[in-house]
């Protein structure tokens, strides 16, 4: 039975897709079976793994709206052990189409149940909103990873996200946990970066991952080559950071199951 992570923050540009791709690839390199779900209509996770969007025949949209079997949608990526349920621009309309469906908040949970035994971890790359797609992801997830960029407005909007998590816990998914806050785009030379790290750690304490994701050129370049950074440049800071994050998550899980 896999553990399901939603990678969520309604702010755009905080590193959700970068984290989904590179944490997924790092866990795969550590010999875990990973399924990535691109639940964002922008489909950056899909293109960032080297898939041409115009060639995508079936996507998460079909699983959510037409009960297409997830096994018929899953694509193998260039990283061994890392599979993908791709996104599509059609997903923009999914929220409206789901509005009148029964159990609309549980659509993702029900199709994931069909593949949950095939993977160690399932990761859902959420869209930058708190709409029905993100609610579906949080309802399907065991835990949420919240990327927070080390910039001026870092904490702005986090209250809204945490309220959504509380609402999901109360009404739809009592088992949902916060896996951790992940500090991204960190630049040790900037006083502001260090202030944000201090503020987030003070505020959320043990809920903040020890691993920091440094601002890194190779990490930014990798998606344009359709590769996770660990394949693009394994010696880069970005690759090392995400490998450390993967190890931190595995260690935490090992302690919990001990």
């Amino acid at each position: 039975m896999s553990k399901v992570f939603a990678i969520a923050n309604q702010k755009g540009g905080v590193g959700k897709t970068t984290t989904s791709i590179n944490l997924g690839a790092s866990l795969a390199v550590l010999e875990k079976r990973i399924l990535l779900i691109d639940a964002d209509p922008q489909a950056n996770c899909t293109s960032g793994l080297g898939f041409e969007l115009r060639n995508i025949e079936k996507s998460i949209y079909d699983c959510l709206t037409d009960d297409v079997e997830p096994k018929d949608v899953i694509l193998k990526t260039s990283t061994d052990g890392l599979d993908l349920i791709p996104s599509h621009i059609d997903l923009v309309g999914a929220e409206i189409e789901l509005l009148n469906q029964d159990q609309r908040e549980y659509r993702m949970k029900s199709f994931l149940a069909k593949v949950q035994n095939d993977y160690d971890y399932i990761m859902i790359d959420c869209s930058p909103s708190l709409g029905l797609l993100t609610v579906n992801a949080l309802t399907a997830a065991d835990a949420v990873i919240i990327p927070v960029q080390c910039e001026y407005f870092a904490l702005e909007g986090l209250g809204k996200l945490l309220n959504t998590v509380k609402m999901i816990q109360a009404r739809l998914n009592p088992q949902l946990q916060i896996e951790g806050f992940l500090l991204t785009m960190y630049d040790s030379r900037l006083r502001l970066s260090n202030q944000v790290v201090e503020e987030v750690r003070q505020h959320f304490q043990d809920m903040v991952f020890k691993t920091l994701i440094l601002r890194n050129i190779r990490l930014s370049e990798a998606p344009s080559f359709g590769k996770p950074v660990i394949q693009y440049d394994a010696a880069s800071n970005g690759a090392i950071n995400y490998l450390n994050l993967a190890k931190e998550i595995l260690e935490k899980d090992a302690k919990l199951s001990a």
Side-chain angles (χ1 to χ4, degrees):
M1 190 74 158
S2 53
K3 184 168 184 177
V4 182
F5 289 130
I7 297 172
N9 189 331
Q10 78 272 25
K11 279 186 69 133
V14 297
K16 287 187 293 294
T17 300
T18 301
T19 296
S20 301
I21 291 173
N22 293 298
L23 176 56
S26 297
L27 285 165
V29 164
L30 295 170
E31 300 188 335
K32 298 295 175 188
R33 295 163 307 157
I34 310 299
L35 176 63
L36 270 184
I37 295 175
D38 190 349
D40 183 352
Q42 294 174 71
N44 291 337
C45 196
T46 304
S47 57
L49 283 165
F51 294 100
E52 281 281 347
L53 298 182
R54 63 174 177 271
N55 297 334
I56 300 292
E57 289 173 13
K58 286 188 177 140
S59 70
I60 183 175
Y61 170 81
D62 302 284
C63 298
L64 286 169
T65 59
D66 294 330
D67 293 322
V68 168
E69 290 292 319
K71 285 176 181 169
D72 297 335
V73 178
I74 289 170
L75 302 171
K76 298 266 173 218
T77 74
S78 59
T79 305
D80 280 348
L82 181 67
D83 291 353
L84 173 74
I85 289 184
S87 185
H88 192 275
I89 190 65
D90 287 350
L91 197 55
V92 169
E95 299 216 347
I96 296 159
E97 289 178 52
L98 291 174
L99 277 177
N100 298 320
Q101 297 213 9
D102 284 342
Q103 300 280 296
R104 62 188 181 192
E105 295 92 350
Y106 295 95
R107 301 289 292 178
M108 203 177 292
K109 188 180 177 78
S110 67
F111 84 69
L112 285 189
K114 297 174 182 176
V115 291
Q116 232 172 334
N117 292 331
D118 301 339
Y119 296 96
D120 298 305
Y121 291 94
I122 294 176
M123 303 190 150
I124 308 167
D125 181 25
C126 296
S127 61
S129 78
L130 294 177
L132 192 51
L133 287 172
T134 300
V135 168
N136 258 271
L138 293 172
T139 303
D142 299 303
V144 55
I145 293 173
I146 302 171
V148 179
Q149 86 281 35
C150 295
E151 286 172 9
Y152 186 65
F153 292 115
L155 293 174
E156 196 179 77
L158 274 187
K160 206 170 177 186
L161 175 62
L162 294 175
N163 284 339
T164 302
V165 169
K166 276 184 194 156
M167 183 202 81
I168 302 283
Q169 287 167 329
R171 298 186 197 168
L172 299 165
N173 182 4
Q175 276 74 48
L176 183 65
Q177 305 279 322
I178 292 176
E179 184 74 12
F181 292 85
L182 176 66
L183 290 155
T184 62
M185 306 177 203
Y186 174 71
D187 187 337
S188 59
R189 297 164 302 177
L190 299 179
R191 203 170 82 193
L192 178 63
S193 266
N194 292 304
Q195 281 173 342
V196 170
V197 169
E198 207 176 301
E199 199 174 340
V200 173
R201 287 199 163 142
Q202 210 173 346
H203 206 77
F204 297 109
Q205 298 178 351
D206 293 347
M207 293 164 79
V208 184
F209 286 108
K210 292 184 183 75
T211 306
L212 292 170
I213 307 299
L214 275 61
R215 196 175 276 283
N216 180 246
I217 298 292
R218 308 304 266 172
L219 198 53
S220 308
E221 287 173 350
S224 60
F225 291 88
K227 292 177 179 177
V229 71
I230 203 158
Q231 262 186 313
Y232 178 61
D233 184 352
S236 66
N237 275 333
I240 292 161
N241 293 162
Y242 276 107
L243 205 51
N244 286 338
L245 177 64
K247 288 174 183 169
E248 190 176 338
I249 285 171
L250 292 177
E251 277 168 26
K252 186 178 171 184
D253 283 355
K255 276 182 196 163
L256 288 174
S257 58

